Amino acid sequence: AQTVTQSQPEMSVQEAETVTLSCTYDTSESDYYLFWYKQPPSRQMILVIRQEAYKQQNATENRFSVNFQKAAKSFSLKISDSQLGDAAMYFCAYRTLSGGGADGLTFGKGTHLIIQP
Amino acid sequence: NAGVTQTPKFRVLKTGQSMTLLCAQDMNHEYMYWYRQDPGMGLRLIHYSVGEGTTAKGEVPDGYNVSRLKKQNFLLGLESAAPSQTSVYFCASSPRIRPGQEYSPLHFGNGTRLTVT
């Protein structure tokens, strides 16, 4: 079974600065996706960024980028120019391609991100 | 296009009572999922379904039953509620991942907050 570990229960950053959230995972498979989800107090699950394991290039979405290290099984999220609206719980998640992805997502325990004004 | 709709949004039960949570999706997705979210634990998979009439156990299935009689609906039942089942429950759906097709992410409902006293 796959596992996803987020070792930072809480992180705090000053507005406009950069913060990096850590995630490691364990799998024996070679084809999979990795994700970062944002969950604000509204409870809505918002997909922030996706990385395909076969792609060496790190995914980027505006102020959000990842550092994907496949051999190390590491997948960190960097948020640049932090904004007050970035405050939320952030979940790292894994999804295998085998079986058409039937197993769904495996989540880490989450990191609570606080933005200091 | 409503996406994934969960009913109800909130519920309070007494220990031993039963209830059913309803999830409906209008995207013709093959796969459907039930997750629970507890503080500090992330989202954990309870049960899932890969198609009408099929169900499978996830990581934390005990105390829950599910049914998928129609492709668009996925029901989660608690036969005898326990305080340990106090949680936020999320339903999600997705199409099957097909090689060569653009990835379509899981679509989440807005969650049901269940309290068992």
Side-chain angles (χ1 to χ4, degrees):
Chain A
Q2 297 81 19
T3 59
V4 177
T5 302
Q6 293 179 250
S7 59
Q8 305 154 317
E10 188 172 279
M11 292 282 285
S12 181
V13 65
Q14 293 283 344
E15 191 177 5
E17 295 192 344
T18 295
V19 63
T20 298
L21 307 184
S22 300
C23 173
T24 59
Y25 60 96
D26 189 25
T27 184
S28 59
E29 301 185 344
S30 57
D31 291 330
Y32 50 88
Y33 291 102
L34 294 165
F35 309 87
W36 280 98
Y37 278 83
K38 173 184 177 182
Q39 187 183 46
S42 67
R43 290 200 315 238
Q44 186 182 4
M45 294 295 290
I46 302 167
L47 178 60
V48 174
I49 201 164
R50 179 183 85 242
Q51 175 78 42
E52 289 90 343
Y54 68 87
K55 290 186 176 178
Q56 292 187 342
Q57 186 174 8
N58 289 324
T60 299
E61 290 286 344
N62 300 314
R63 297 182 295 108
F64 299 86
S65 61
V66 298
N67 183 2
F68 173 49
Q69 301 289 329
K70 190 173 184 179
K73 297 180 181 173
S74 171
F75 183 61
S76 61
L77 175 70
K78 185 172 80 171
I79 306 174
S80 303
D81 186 25
S82 299
Q83 300 175 359
L84 294 177
D86 295 334
M89 283 294 293
Y90 285 82
F91 294 100
C92 180
Y94 168 102
R95 189 177 191 188
T96 179
L97 266 67
S98 65
D103 292 348
L105 294 168
T106 299
F107 288 91
K109 293 184 177 182
T111 296
H112 181 212
L113 179 62
I114 299 167
I115 311 295
Q116 306 277 8
Chain B
N1 193 344
V4 177
T5 303
Q6 291 183 230
T7 311
K9 291 182 171 54
F10 302 93
R11 185 72 187 270
V12 179
L13 289 178
K14 295 187 186 303
T15 297
Q17 287 185 320
S18 63
M19 76 162 294
T20 300
L21 303 183
L22 172 63
C23 177
Q25 54 98 2
D26 60 2
M27 296 167 284
N28 202 36
H29 287 167
E30 293 98 325
Y31 299 162
M32 296 188 74
Y33 306 90
W34 276 107
Y35 289 90
R36 62 176 288 173
Q37 182 180 14
D38 303 294
M41 296 299 293
L43 280 76
R44 293 179 293 170
L45 184 62
I46 304 171
H47 285 282
Y48 65 98
S49 168
V50 299
E52 185 177 317
T54 71
T55 63
K57 293 180 180 180
E59 179 186 355
V60 288
D62 293 343
Y64 305 95
N65 56 75
V66 289
S67 63
R68 193 161 177 206
L69 300 179
K70 294 183 179 181
K71 186 177 184 179
Q72 63 268 35
N73 295 337
F74 194 31
L75 278 62
L76 177 71
L78 286 71
E79 291 186 348
S80 180
S84 61
Q85 294 177 304
T86 293
S87 189
V88 177
Y89 292 85
F90 285 94
C91 178
S93 72
S94 86
R96 179 186 177 92
I97 298 175
R98 290 178 169 83
Q101 288 190 356
E102 185 173 348
Y103 179 77
S104 182
L106 266 70
H107 293 250
F108 284 87
N110 289 327
T112 296
R113 180 174 293 279
L114 174 66
T115 302
V116 183
T117 61

